[in-house]
Each structure stands twice: as structure tokens, then as C-alpha cells.
Amino acid sequence: MGDRWHVEVDRGVCIGSGMCVNHAPGGFTLDSARQSHPAVPETDANEGVLAAAEGCPVEAIMITLLGSGEAVFPPEE
């Protein structure tokens, strides 16, 4: 069985670029204020969501492992 992730968007940081929607169609939505929201906050690990987090120009997307809370992105330093 694969990892499960908790996906969060810091809407105080989000600038509404829409890059997340492009990288992970169906993984994120933009509201009427162009703020990003994860379509499903708890999801199976997948490359599209990770690419969205890595491609966010302001690093507003955080991904952690469900259960442990260990950081997937951004990685702990």
C-alpha cells in the first residue's frame, strides 16, 4: 500500500498563479478570489500533487504524510 498525504495551501501566501491547477488537474481548485484549495485534503501520494507543490512560485503548498505528519514538501532541512 502506498503513502497517503495531507495537502494544505497557505492562502495567506497563495498568489493565485494557477500553476497548481495546471500541474495537478483535479488536485486543486481556485475559488472566486483565485485562492487555491486542495480538491481533496487527504489523498494518495501522486506525482501531480508533488509537481504542483514544487512548481508553486511562492511555496504555498504543504504536503505531509498522514499519520506521522512528516514533511514531504517542502522538505525539512
Side-chain angles (χ1 to χ4, degrees):
M1 190 174 351
D3 289 334
R4 298 259 316 146
W5 289 346
H6 175 76
V7 182
E8 211 175 319
V9 176
D10 184 339
R11 288 184 288 279
V13 174
C14 177
I15 60 170
S17 73
M19 297 294 292
C20 55
V21 175
N22 289 333
H23 284 293
F28 295 89
T29 60
L30 296 179
D31 63 19
S32 60
R34 292 200 48 85
Q35 294 292 290
S36 178
H37 301 266
V40 181
E42 296 181 358
T43 186
D44 290 332
N46 74 75
E47 291 196 23
V49 171
L50 182 59
E54 292 173 338
C56 178
V58 294
E59 292 188 358
I61 301 170
M62 289 82 56
I63 304 171
T64 56
L65 288 175
L66 271 179
S68 72
E70 181 183 339
V72 174
F73 189 87
E76 293 178 349
E77 296 189 33

